[in-house]
Amino acid sequence: MAIPRKSIAVLPFVNMSSDIENEYFCDGLTEEIINALAKIKQLSVTSRTSSFYFKNKSVTASEIREKLEVATFIEGSVRTSKKKMRITVQMIDTVDDFHFWSETFDRNPDNIFEIQDEISLFIAEKLREHVGHIEIEDKLVAPIDVPVAIYREYLKGRYYIMKLDYKNSIKGINILKDVIHKSPNFPNPYLDINLAYINMGTMGLLPAFEAYEKAQPYLSKALVLDPNSSRSQLNLALIECWQNWNLKKAYEHAHKALEMQQADDIYLTISNFLTVEGKLDAAHNYLEKALQLDPYAAINHHYKGFLYYLKEEYTTAIPFLKKALELDPKLPFPPIYIGICLLLSGKSNEALTYFGSLKGVSVKDLTKLGGETMCYAYLNETEKCNDGLKELETYLSTALVDKALTFLILVNALLGNDEKVVDLITQAYNNHLPLILVLNPSPILKPLKTYKGFKDIMLKAIPDNDNYKQKKKYKQALLNKDEIEKYTKELEQIMMDYKLYLNPDLSLKDLASYLELPTNYVSQLLNLGFQKNFSEYVNTFRVKEFKERVLLKENKGLTIMAVAYDSGFNSKTVFNTFFKKIEGITPNTYLKSNS
């Protein structure tokens, strides 16, 4: 696979001081540089989880190239004393395996925000010199209006919550609460406490209801203090989807977050929303982008397996789910779907053995009980199945109601108790439980998709869900004005994110698969939304790409047509015709006038 030239990973800076306090700063500096570089739209930046996978590990350039698929990586170290901080930074080309830039910064540790911005800008400038043009803002790290001592305490609290276990999360939350007491208008600790509780609820370290209830006030305060950051927009997107069931607004906030910063968790979130709608191919495309940016994030591998499960490709799903557990054995979701994939692929006894062997967090979150009960339903072991159902029902009045209802719905679906399933789903709907949205694409509930009671609830929860409308997608009028506006924005985002135009064999059908619309709808979309046909639309992107590439120092030795082919064209005649049509001059004239 070709490594994108404009791609970079920032490995955790090494603490060269004996003071543990400096460890917090090293991790914080690394994160801040990752976040700063991620603001550069033309640059693909490996996310935190995958960068920190290599913390305290000795790695070679070839290993980083192979495992993170980046052309460049940063490594550095920090040594501090009371009045002096020495930061060394090196930039390594993974393709040719050489250090092409290094710098030592001797600075006053009190100027922490200026240091972060200065180093981020230095890295961006040196990278631009090496890989070609990228647009860089004047500032990449905005200063924070808090004293340096309090900011260091904040980094300490974040250091502990990012360890992701219960004990350290609580320790980090308490430190961050103290930071809030000292600087009540500093939004970051509110967002991080919210994150800590959400993580604990998601991983089963706290009951989900309790965790989300504790998280909410901190998120609300953070949104008042800083509503326009990418993290705030992402949190708003999650609220609109899972709490308000408003997918239109959820997409709006998620895409705003993506405009500010390309991050794997934003791509994963959009993939989640597409999954709710049953748009599994489009969800898969966004998930692949998340994996590209964060290949060592357990949740990304889990979600890839989950999508294959939803597509009923059970044997394909299992390795991804197992990889997720290998990266994070505490992640509670993969065991559920490993067992269900075994069950639905005809290995019911193996599935029963698997669920029966689960220990630890999976016992607490009902996976063992629910999974075994599903197996008994599948195996027609009526007495054991009924015992399992009765035990699951005892949890309906507890904090585990969400998980209990999920398993009760799935077991009754396997038993063919359609009316009971609709009754249970109605309970979930009346209690506004988020599980409603996850039921929509479930393969186990596939037989109920034509059942009126089920369709009615799904349409109430997801009013724009095309799966349950009477063939709205195929109405004679094709796309209306609002749909054209929606899909033009989606298509532009997809073209920017995936650079589909670089594929010389790109077809109208390919674009349609990304939007999950019939091909004739996309043809109409291009005509009405862009006033272009397919060739005109795609070749406009290719001409723009050519204009950028042909002026790069690294391409000076290439012919005009070599650069055109690299930009996605596959015909000299088409290239020359479209270039002159769009630019009004020939490629040769353009090159001479810009040399």
Side-chain angles (χ1 to χ4, degrees), residues 148-337:
V148 169
I150 289 177
Y151 182 71
R152 284 183 172 276
E153 278 297 295
Y154 160 70
L155 291 179
K156 183 177 180 180
R158 182 165 173 80
Y159 172 86
Y160 283 112
I161 70 162
M162 293 311 291
K163 288 183 176 291
L164 300 179
D165 61 87
Y166 179 81
K167 183 179 177 182
N168 281 303
S169 294
I170 296 300
K171 184 173 183 178
I173 285 170
N174 289 332
I175 292 169
L176 293 173
K177 283 181 178 177
D178 190 49
V179 171
I180 287 171
H181 178 71
K182 294 172 182 173
S183 287
N185 294 324
F186 181 22
N188 291 25
Y190 294 99
L191 283 168
D192 283 312
I193 292 176
N194 171 71
L195 175 67
Y197 280 124
I198 293 295
N199 283 340
M200 285 194 287
T202 302
M203 293 189 297
L205 303 173
L206 277 178
F209 178 80
E210 177 189 339
Y212 299 154
E213 191 175 52
K214 288 182 174 179
Q216 185 58 49
Y218 294 96
L219 176 58
S220 298
K221 182 64 175 178
L223 293 175
V224 170
L225 293 171
D226 186 15
N228 296 317
S229 70
S230 64
R231 291 178 69 194
S232 294
Q233 288 297 319
L234 181 59
N235 277 299
L236 283 168
L238 294 169
I239 288 170
E240 289 296 349
C241 178
W242 301 109
Q243 292 184 25
N244 299 341
W245 296 357
N246 188 328
L247 280 172
K248 183 180 178 182
K249 285 190 176 179
Y251 280 120
E252 286 174 6
H253 288 299
H255 283 298
K256 278 184 185 176
L258 199 58
E259 285 171 17
M260 297 175 197
Q261 183 176 0
Q262 290 193 55
D264 74 294
D265 54 348
I266 304 174
Y267 283 109
L268 176 63
T269 298
I270 296 173
S271 182
N272 295 163
F273 298 165
L274 289 164
T275 304
V276 167
E277 291 191 278
K279 296 179 177 179
L280 303 183
D281 288 338
H284 190 96
N285 292 333
Y286 275 88
L287 191 273
E288 284 299 317
K289 188 68 178 177
L291 268 168
Q292 179 191 330
L293 292 173
D294 211 344
Y296 283 86
I299 191 65
N300 290 345
H301 288 275
H302 160 74
Y303 209 76
K304 188 167 184 176
F306 178 64
L307 285 173
Y308 278 120
Y309 153 73
L310 294 178
K311 292 179 179 183
E312 300 177 57
E313 298 178 34
Y314 304 122
T315 54
T316 305
I318 289 173
F320 292 103
L321 298 167
K322 287 184 174 178
K323 176 67 175 177
L325 282 179
E326 181 187 318
L327 291 168
D328 184 0
K330 296 177 291 184
L331 200 63
F333 319 114
I336 300 171
Y337 296 102

Side-chain angles (χ1 to χ4, degrees), residues 17-139:
S17 308
S18 56
D19 188 356
I20 185 63
E21 297 286 327
N22 198 45
E23 189 79 13
Y24 315 139
F25 176 73
C26 289
D27 284 4
L29 176 64
T30 306
E31 277 196 76
E32 203 58 67
I33 292 172
I34 291 171
N35 291 335
L37 295 177
K39 294 175 184 175
I40 301 172
K41 294 189 184 300
Q42 303 103 315
L43 196 58
S44 177
V45 184
T46 299
S47 293
R48 181 195 190 279
T49 309
S50 290
S51 289
F52 275 73
Y53 179 82
F54 295 95
K55 183 169 180 173
N56 300 325
K57 294 178 183 176
S58 178
V59 289
T60 64
S62 61
E63 286 175 315
I64 294 297
R65 182 179 70 247
E66 178 190 344
K67 293 178 178 178
L68 295 181
E69 295 183 356
V70 290
T72 312
F73 75 97
I74 300 291
E75 59 182 15
S77 63
V78 183
R79 187 187 298 276
T80 56
S81 62
K82 285 186 179 179
K83 295 188 177 180
K84 185 178 178 182
M85 174 181 291
R86 168 163 287 188
I87 301 171
T88 61
V89 184
Q90 297 181 91
M91 195 176 291
I92 299 100
D93 184 308
T94 69
V95 178
D96 297 319
D97 195 3
F98 73 100
H99 292 59
F100 64 88
W101 174 72
S102 63
E103 188 77 32
T104 299
F105 301 84
D106 288 321
R107 298 291 184 270
N108 184 331
D110 289 340
N111 299 329
I112 190 168
F113 307 120
E114 291 87 346
I115 293 167
Q116 290 172 341
D117 188 50
E118 180 186 6
I119 294 175
S120 299
L121 284 169
F122 252 100
I123 290 170
E125 289 287 357
K126 293 302 174 184
L127 188 65
R128 177 160 61 182
E129 291 172 11
H130 187 64
V131 304
H133 180 66
I134 51 178
E135 290 289 334
I136 303 171
E137 297 176 10
D138 292 337
K139 288 191 80 64

Side-chain angles (χ1 to χ4, degrees), residues 499-511 534 538-539 542 565 567-571:
K499 296 187 181 292
L500 300 181
Y501 50 87
L502 294 180
N503 174 10
D505 299 318
L506 185 71
S507 67
L508 185 61
K509 189 176 179 182
D510 293 328
L511 285 192
F534 171 75
V538 175
N539 285 326
R542 289 170 177 159
Y565 290 138
S567 304
F569 286 99
N570 61 4
S571 160

